[in-house]
């Protein structure tokens, strides 16, 4: 639990006192504050935020860089060198540790800032009454005295006293109780703990149902959440599975290196005849050569870059670990409305007992049925449609208001709220909503709207074409059902509208009492066109082996029609309704999901989403699940990637999700998966690049040891350190920015259990690229030595005739490794494709990294101070020319390997015995 700073003493206000006294003490009113007064209060009270203490400090982060396994390996090498008196080497290793720690620290801080900066994309919002109008502001700007407007799905951002209305509130963040509780302005509790007062709501809690207005009495550190260390405010950086894998590999490398070094010292002294000093030099070199110093910080930076790229595409990812998970997603469970479609609802047809009507074309006609439908659409509605303010509300309800207005109905919110007596919010399980409204004479009437199959069973009569009421016969019910199906097959969204006159003047106490014996007024068909870009996104998903399942609360035929239009279904899908899903056993559901059948889950509840997510994850799938409502939050948390809607989603859904779509667009999910695959591929590329240098770094030490010292050490420890620290890191960073390979979205998803470091990659790095680079480096070493007149066993130490030749030879080894490193960098840019297909010079950052690498190598070779420090000597033009083909040999050999691999895979795919990549067997529909 994160500790919170102790709150400063605030004004002594009793929020449970009479509302008139509370308004007086807060110097507020039911009409809210003016903007100028709110700004003055914000300066006085400060921003509405929590101040945390106990977070990881930069000192702790920096200290952690000195204790990770690879740093410990270098500490062991420094201690070993110091123990036998090789002080310059020991000091140099310590300097390397310092440089690596500083670099890793800088990269981790950069990554943290990249994630924290994304908060600016989706700041928490609140609706308050300012200057007499409802205004959306950032929650940090809420001040005591503000009037909050709270609706279903809102995250409450301050402690407040309800002024009017009633809401269900989830207090689990504050009290740990999982069941929502009812809070009402009409309840007055005196002498009870604040958390139990039924007229109060608190910061950090969520509204799960209802609407209300409340006056804020505490913000920031003065709230109940500010006085206790709430779990909801804990901020910790979690280690991703990828980082965990790499850390385990780092420990394995460290353990193997220490064991080899410890075992070699006695073997070298007894078997190879090396002196104790030479044996220790070898052991130190072995430890240093096995350390991939830049591995952890480069991985962290690559993930941070991926997060920022996704943000630019409209997908805000909350944590680094989600980037790698995106790359392995193989099932997307998606909503329909707003995600696959434009969420621009338009009423196209109203079907009543008098026939089908276009609301625009029939405006002004004297049709009693249309007038009753328009009145119901305006009354049973929570949207706001006004000329002076932007439209606010659900797109479906806004479309109903527009149609009602076109039919001549007054749709002002003031009149609606004045006559409304009771509101029963839309229930995603019941699929309907209702209100109890009074007319000018005080008589009460129930207005209801909802899914036809949910509302029609509650109707016993229909408003007739002659203005009378007639019973809803079974024959007429069948006609209505056929009409609903016909409209739904055209991809139209269907709603039924009904009403009931009440005999008394008291509103029903519950919705079951209100929503009975209704009179059907008509059916409303609405059009919501599919997004133009979704079809291409779906095609990419299918090519990438990703299954797309539609889970919607809409009519099954409507969902199936839209799914067919955008290519999610390519035949006749199996449509499973919520009722059918409820009757399925777990085994039946598992069998249904395991088959190749194209599925559409219609009229589904949020609980159904959770059940489907559980079943898919239990089968080993990596699931991305979309959602926008309060009740979607369990499924969003349970899915591997919970995807919330940034525009239409609730605060609760956005908080539960791993990723938030700023544009609510399915195509953004596909782009995020593509970016996740690219990031994961790039991580593998620079891991391969870094590991490929282990072989050429260790080979000179092995040549020296196996010759029993007859061959002088081809690369000094100081030169090895310069190679590791100076020339490797920038190209590795550049590989983390590599563009996607061709065919990235034509590959099947990687398995959840697949490790980032696999045997084929290690074989390619150590035994192919590494061996070629090592042979080239050693060839350059012997070329210089032999040209200088050296023979096996000749002394090359200081003061001998061959000492300068030996220094040139070690320098040649160093530069040969740099040249091989350049070829490795180009080879590592692709895993399967030819480099020409992505552009040899397309990665500008890599070119700059190689230029820096060559410039640094020039400084090490030709600057006198570096020569004396590292034991290098100037190379002649002929020697440099000798290394010129090295990069092309390494790169060309790997290009040939990849060509043979593609040719083999092409023959395999063309074989009639095996299906093509990404194809699934088809099964006859039942």
């Amino acid at each position: 639990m994160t500790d919170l700073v102790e709150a400063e003493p605030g004004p002594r206000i009793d929020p449970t006192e009479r509302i008139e006294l509370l308004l007086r003490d807060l110097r507020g009113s039911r009409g809210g504050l003016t903007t100028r007064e709110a700004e003055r209060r914000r300066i006085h009270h400060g921003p509405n935020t929590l101040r945390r203490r106990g977070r990881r400090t930069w000192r702790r982060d920096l200290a952690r860089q000195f204790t990770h396994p690879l740093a410990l390996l270098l500490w062991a090498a420094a201690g070993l060198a110091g123990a036998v008196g090789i002080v310059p080497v020991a000091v140099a290793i310590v300097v390397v540790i310092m440089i690596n720690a500083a670099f890793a620290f800088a990269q981790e801080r950069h990554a943290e800032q990249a994630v924290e900066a994304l908060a600016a994309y989706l700041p928490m919002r609140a609706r308050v009454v300012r200057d007499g109008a409802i205004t959306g502001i950032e929650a940090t700007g809420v001040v005591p005295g503000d009037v909050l407007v709270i609706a279903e799905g809102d995250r409450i951002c301050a402690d407040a006293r309800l002024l009017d209305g009633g809401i269900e509130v989830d207090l689990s963040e504050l009290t740990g109780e999982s069941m929502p509780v009812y809070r009402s302005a009409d309840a007055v509790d005196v002498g009870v703990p604040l958390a139990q007062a039924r007229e109060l709501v608190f910061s950090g809690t969520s509204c799960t149902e209802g609407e209300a207005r409340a006056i804020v009495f505490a913000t920031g550190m003065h709230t109940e959440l500010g006085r206790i260390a709430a779990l909801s405010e804990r901020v910790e950086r979690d280690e991703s599975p990828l980082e965990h894998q790499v850390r385990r590999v780092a420990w394995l490398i460290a353990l193997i290196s220490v064991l080899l070094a410890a075992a070699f010292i006695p073997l070298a002294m007894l078997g190879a005849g090396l002196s104790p000093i030479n044996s220790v030099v070898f052991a130190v070199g072995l430890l240093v050569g096995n350390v991939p110093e830049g591995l952890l910080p480069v991985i962290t930076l690559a993930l941070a870059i991926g997060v920022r790229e996704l943000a630019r595409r409209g997908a805000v990812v909350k944590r680094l670990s989600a980037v790698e998970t995106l790359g392995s997603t193989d099932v997307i469970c998606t909503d329909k409305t707003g995600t696959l479609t434009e969420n621009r609802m338009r009423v196209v047809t109203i079907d009543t007992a008098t026939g089908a009507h276009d609301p625009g074309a029939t405006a002004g006609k004297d049709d009693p049925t249309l007038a009753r439908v328009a009145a119901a659409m305006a009354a049973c509605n929570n949207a706001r449609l006004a000329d002076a303010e932007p439209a606010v509300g659900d797109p479906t309800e806004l479309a109903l208001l527009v149609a009602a207005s076109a039919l001549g109905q007054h749709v002002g919110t003031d009149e609606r709220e004045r006559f409304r007596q009771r509101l029963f919010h839309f229930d995603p399980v019941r699929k309907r909503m209702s209100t109890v409204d009074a007319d000018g004479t005080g008589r009460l009437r129930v207005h209801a709207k909802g899914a036809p199959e949910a509302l029609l069973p509650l109707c016993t009569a229909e408003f007739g074409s002659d203005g009378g009421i007639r019973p809803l016969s079974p024959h007429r019910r069948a006609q209505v059902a056929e009409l609903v199906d016909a409209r739904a097959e055209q991809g139209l969204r269907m709603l039924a509208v009904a009403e009931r006159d009440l005999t008394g003047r008291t509103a029903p106490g519950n919705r079951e009492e209100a929503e009975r014996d209704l009179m059907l007024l008509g059916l409303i068909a609405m059009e919501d066109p599919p997004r133009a870009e979704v079809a291409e996104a779906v095609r990419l998903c299918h090519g990438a082996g990703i299954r797309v399942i539609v889970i919607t609360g809409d009519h099954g035929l409507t969902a199936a029609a839209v799914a067919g239009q955008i290519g999610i279904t390519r035949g006749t899908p199996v449509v499973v309704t919520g009722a059918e899903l409820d009757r399925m056993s777990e085994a039946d559901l598992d069998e249904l999901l395991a088959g190749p059948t194209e599925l559409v889950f219609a009229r589904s509840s949020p609980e159904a989403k959770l059940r489907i997510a559980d079943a898919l994850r239990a089968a080993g799938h990596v699931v991305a699940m979309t959602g926008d409502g309060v009740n979607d939050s369990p499924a969003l948390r349970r899915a591997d990637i919970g995807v919330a809607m940034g525009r239409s989603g609730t605060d609760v859904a956005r908080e539960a999700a791993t990723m938030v779509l700023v544009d609510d667009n399915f195509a953004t999910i596909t782009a995020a998966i593509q970016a996740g695959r690219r990031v994961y591929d790039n991580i593998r590329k620079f891991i391969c690049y870094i590991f490929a240098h282990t072989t050429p770094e260790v080979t000179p030490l092995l040549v020296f040891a196996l010759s029993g010292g007859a061959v002088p050490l081809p690369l000094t420890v100081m030169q090895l350190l310069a190679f590791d620290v100076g020339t490797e890191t920038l190209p590795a960073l550049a590989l983390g920015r590599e563009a996607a390979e061709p065919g990235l979205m034509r590959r099947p998803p990687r398995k959840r259990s697949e490790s980032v470091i696999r045997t084929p990659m290690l074989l390619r790095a150590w035994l192919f690229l590494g061996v070629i680079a090592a042979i080239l480096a050693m060839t350059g070493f012997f070329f210089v030595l032999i040209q200088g007149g050296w023979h096996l066993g000749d002394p090359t130490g200081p003061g001998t005739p061959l000492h300068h030749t030996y220094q040139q030879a070690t320098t040649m080894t160093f530069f040969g490794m740099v040249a091989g490193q350049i070829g490795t960098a180009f080879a590592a840019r692709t895993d399967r494709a030819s480099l020409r297909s992505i552009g040899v010079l397309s990665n500008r950052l890599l070119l700059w990294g190689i230029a820096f690498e060559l410039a640094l190598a020039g400084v090490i070779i030709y600057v006198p101070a570096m020569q004396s420090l590292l034991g290098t000597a100037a190379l002649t033009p002929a020697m440099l020319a000798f290394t010129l083909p090295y990069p092309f040999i390494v790169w060309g050999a790997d290009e040939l390997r990849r060509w043979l691999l593609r040719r083999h895979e092409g023959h395999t795919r063309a074989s009639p015995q095996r299906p093509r990549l990404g194809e699934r067997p088809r099964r006859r529909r039942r």
Side-chain angles (χ1 to χ4, degrees):
M1 182 181 294
T2 302
D3 296 328
L4 299 176
V5 194
E6 207 169 358
E8 301 170 3
R12 296 183 178 277
I13 291 177
D14 179 9
T16 63
E17 65 184 346
R18 285 205 339 263
I19 191 64
E20 293 80 8
L21 297 178
L22 180 62
L23 290 172
R24 181 202 65 188
D25 293 342
L26 290 170
R27 292 180 293 117
S29 70
R30 294 176 182 268
L33 301 175
T34 65
T35 301
R36 291 174 61 184
E37 174 62 20
E39 182 60 26
R40 282 195 293 269
R41 295 190 184 199
R42 191 189 68 80
I43 295 172
H44 176 72
H45 293 280
N48 180 28
T49 57
L50 293 176
R51 301 189 301 274
R52 291 185 294 270
R53 70 180 180 188
R55 296 181 68 184
R56 279 180 12 202
T57 63
W58 67 268
R59 295 181 182 85
R60 194 182 308 175
D61 283 341
L62 182 58
R64 197 166 54 87
Q65 306 304 329
F66 294 98
T67 56
H68 70 74
L70 302 182
L72 294 176
L73 191 60
L74 290 177
W75 282 118
L80 193 60
V84 296
I86 316 175
V87 178
V89 172
V91 171
I93 295 174
V94 171
V95 170
V96 168
I97 295 173
M98 300 293 179
I99 294 173
N100 282 339
F103 178 76
F105 170 73
Q107 300 297 37
E108 284 201 3
R109 298 291 287 187
H110 176 75
E112 281 190 17
Q113 290 166 5
V115 177
E116 290 176 1
L118 295 179
Y121 282 85
L122 291 172
M124 188 174 171
R125 305 284 295 178
R127 288 190 300 154
V128 297
V129 179
R130 292 271 176 90
D131 300 319
I134 297 176
T135 306
I137 64 170
E138 290 192 17
T140 56
V142 172
V143 296
D146 260 328
V147 174
L148 282 179
V149 180
I150 305 170
E152 179 181 337
D154 285 349
R155 185 82 165 168
I156 299 169
C157 62
D159 291 0
R161 164 83 173 267
L162 295 183
L163 293 174
D164 59 62
I167 55 176
E168 294 274 353
V169 182
D170 178 5
L171 295 177
S172 58
E173 296 281 9
L174 200 63
T175 65
E177 296 293 333
S178 58
M179 292 297 295
V181 297
Y182 186 67
R183 293 289 183 258
S184 172
D186 299 331
V188 178
D189 288 323
V190 180
V192 299
L194 288 185
Q196 298 176 18
R198 291 175 296 167
E199 72 274 26
L200 302 184
V201 292
F202 300 97
S203 175
T205 61
S206 306
C207 174
T208 59
E209 185 177 344
E211 273 190 349
R213 294 193 181 194
I215 187 163
V216 175
F217 63 83
T219 60
M221 296 306 298
H222 300 294
T223 63
E224 287 299 300
L225 188 61
R227 299 177 193 280
I228 62 175
L231 286 175
S232 60
E233 291 300 322
R234 182 175 58 187
V235 177
E236 291 183 1
R237 179 185 176 274
D238 58 334
E239 184 177 66
S240 74
L242 175 62
E243 291 173 307
H244 180 67
Q245 286 180 32
V246 173
R247 191 173 289 274
R248 287 182 60 189
V249 170
W251 276 113
L252 182 62
I253 291 172
L255 178 63
I256 292 173
S257 301
V258 169
L259 291 176
L260 286 176
F264 181 80
I265 292 177
L267 290 176
M269 293 172 60
L270 299 176
L274 293 180
S275 65
I277 293 296
N278 284 337
S279 298
V280 172
V281 167
F282 174 81
V284 170
L286 191 64
L287 291 176
V288 173
N290 277 296
V291 175
E293 290 90 347
L295 190 58
L296 294 178
V298 170
I299 285 177
T300 303
L301 183 62
L303 292 174
I305 290 169
V307 166
R308 285 195 166 181
E309 179 188 340
L310 290 174
R312 285 195 298 271
R313 295 190 179 197
V316 178
V317 177
K318 294 184 179 179
R319 60 178 185 267
L320 293 180
S321 58
V323 178
E324 60 183 279
T325 309
L326 278 166
S328 58
T329 300
D330 64 342
V331 178
I332 300 175
C333 297
T334 178
D335 287 322
K336 179 187 74 68
T337 304
T339 309
L340 303 178
T341 62
E342 295 180 2
N343 206 15
R344 288 192 296 107
M345 292 290 184
R346 183 176 69 89
V347 176
V348 293
T349 305
I350 299 176
D351 289 290
T352 68
T354 58
H357 308 277
D358 182 336
T362 56
K365 278 191 177 181
D366 186 15
D367 189 319
T369 59
L370 283 179
R372 296 287 281 267
V373 170
M377 289 193 296
C380 190
N381 202 308
N382 286 327
R384 298 174 183 271
L385 192 65
D387 296 334
E389 306 175 15
V392 177
D394 179 80
T396 299
E397 296 198 327
L398 287 172
L400 295 178
L401 286 186
V402 171
S405 178
L407 292 170
Q409 178 67 33
H410 180 68
V411 294
T413 56
D414 293 339
E415 181 177 339
R416 181 177 66 200
E417 292 176 359
R418 185 168 68 251
F419 290 117
R420 179 175 290 178
Q421 302 295 308
R422 195 68 192 270
L423 166 66
F424 299 104
H425 275 275
F426 176 77
D427 187 319
V429 176
R430 292 182 174 91
K431 304 293 181 189
R432 60 184 183 268
M433 166 191 174
S434 60
T435 59
V436 180
D437 306 287
D439 60 17
T441 65
R443 294 183 58 186
L444 300 183
R445 176 175 291 169
V446 176
H447 294 109
K449 72 174 188 290
E453 63 269 28
L455 203 61
L456 283 175
L458 304 177
C459 295
T460 57
E462 182 182 18
F463 191 66
S465 57
D466 57 355
I469 300 173
R470 64 188 185 193
L472 194 60
S473 65
H475 176 69
R476 178 57 180 160
R477 287 181 187 274
Q479 285 182 327
V480 171
E482 289 176 3
L483 181 59
V484 169
D485 289 346
R487 300 282 192 218
E489 285 177 351
Q490 299 170 19
L492 299 177
R493 186 176 185 185
M494 300 299 297
L495 281 179
V497 180
E499 68 176 31
R500 175 167 74 96
D501 287 330
L502 300 176
T503 55
R505 293 182 178 269
T506 303
N510 56 65
R511 69 187 312 152
E512 285 74 18
E513 185 182 349
E515 296 170 351
R516 64 179 178 83
D517 299 329
L518 298 173
M519 177 178 64
L520 179 65
L521 298 177
L523 300 173
I524 301 170
M526 287 177 288
E527 180 184 49
D528 184 14
R531 293 178 182 266
E533 63 274 19
V534 169
E536 175 62 17
V538 168
R539 188 190 65 78
L540 286 174
C541 285
H542 286 157
I546 300 171
R547 189 180 187 186
V548 182
I549 299 175
V550 178
I551 307 177
T552 178
D554 219 333
H555 193 286
L557 294 178
T558 303
V562 173
Q565 289 172 24
I566 59 180
I568 290 179
T569 58
R570 290 160 287 189
T572 303
V574 173
V575 178
V576 181
T577 65
E580 292 170 340
L581 181 62
D582 290 341
R583 291 194 295 269
M584 282 186 181
S585 66
E586 298 301 324
D588 291 338
L589 178 59
D590 291 343
E591 182 182 358
L592 178 69
L593 292 172
T597 309
E598 295 172 330
L599 296 173
V600 172
F601 290 91
R603 297 302 190 204
S604 296
S605 65
E607 291 75 16
K609 284 187 173 183
L610 179 60
R611 189 180 175 197
I612 293 167
D614 278 339
L616 288 168
R617 295 191 76 232
H621 295 286
V622 180
V623 182
M625 173 76 72
T626 69
D628 56 9
V630 176
N631 292 335
D632 287 332
S633 57
L636 294 176
R637 286 193 180 96
R638 190 68 57 87
D640 298 280
I641 297 290
V643 183
M645 302 298 112
R647 291 179 181 173
S648 61
T650 60
D651 292 338
V652 178
R654 286 195 289 265
E655 186 167 298
T658 310
M659 183 172 75
V660 180
L661 302 183
V662 177
D663 55 2
D664 293 8
N665 194 340
F666 178 88
T668 306
I669 303 176
T670 305
I673 291 174
Q674 187 171 9
R677 288 189 174 194
R678 174 194 165 195
V679 168
Y680 197 84
D681 271 9
N682 288 348
I683 288 172
R684 284 184 145 166
K685 289 171 186 177
F686 62 66
I687 288 177
C688 177
Y689 167 79
I690 289 172
F691 275 30
H693 305 145
T694 302
T695 304
E697 289 176 10
V698 172
T699 298
L701 304 170
L702 291 175
V703 170
F704 167 69
L706 294 176
S707 70
V711 175
L713 191 63
L715 188 73
T716 67
V717 175
M718 299 290 280
Q719 292 167 352
L720 180 57
L721 288 171
F723 175 79
D724 259 343
V725 177
T727 64
E728 183 176 83
T729 305
L730 281 184
L733 287 173
L735 289 172
R737 306 291 290 269
E738 190 67 48
E741 285 192 40
L744 178 70
M745 291 298 283
R746 292 195 296 272
R747 302 198 311 243
R750 63 181 176 86
K751 295 180 180 178
R752 182 196 297 269
S753 58
E754 182 179 309
S755 173
V756 66
I757 301 174
R758 301 175 62 201
T759 302
M761 183 180 73
L762 293 178
L763 293 176
R764 181 190 180 197
W766 286 340
L767 300 183
F768 186 75
L769 294 171
V771 166
I772 295 172
I775 291 173
L776 292 173
M778 294 311 302
T779 300
F781 172 75
F782 286 113
F783 168 75
V784 173
L785 271 186
I786 293 172
Q787 283 247 325
W790 174 84
H791 297 87
L792 189 65
D794 287 349
T796 57
T800 62
L802 291 175
H803 182 61
H804 179 70
T805 300
Y806 168 68
Q807 286 184 316
Q808 281 188 315
T810 60
T811 306
M812 188 69 166
T813 305
F814 169 80
F815 190 70
M817 289 169 60
V818 170
Q821 192 178 52
I822 294 171
T824 302
F826 279 102
R829 289 184 61 194
T830 66
D831 186 45
R832 289 286 191 277
S834 167
L835 192 56
R836 288 177 300 174
S837 65
I838 64 171
V840 177
L841 305 178
S842 58
N843 190 335
R844 297 288 183 87
L845 191 60
L846 179 62
L847 299 180
W848 281 110
I850 290 172
F852 173 82
E853 186 176 11
L854 290 173
L856 182 62
V859 170
I860 291 172
I861 294 171
Y862 293 105
V863 173
M866 299 300 291
Q867 290 175 343
S868 59
L869 177 65
L870 301 178
T872 58
L875 299 179
T876 66
M879 295 174 185
L880 293 176
F882 189 83
T883 64
L884 192 61
Y886 283 15
F888 301 98
I889 293 173
V890 176
W891 171 17
D894 195 69
E895 194 76 30
L896 177 62
R897 181 194 68 83
R898 281 180 272 120
W899 178 77
L900 293 173
L901 190 62
R902 291 194 304 273
R903 186 180 180 189
H904 172 71
E905 289 178 345
H907 286 315
T908 302
R909 285 197 298 266
S911 172
Q913 284 78 24
R914 298 182 62 180
R916 290 182 179 272
L917 189 64
E919 281 190 353
R920 290 180 176 153
R922 305 292 290 175
R923 185 169 76 182
R924 179 176 296 177
R925 308 285 184 219
R926 291 180 294 175

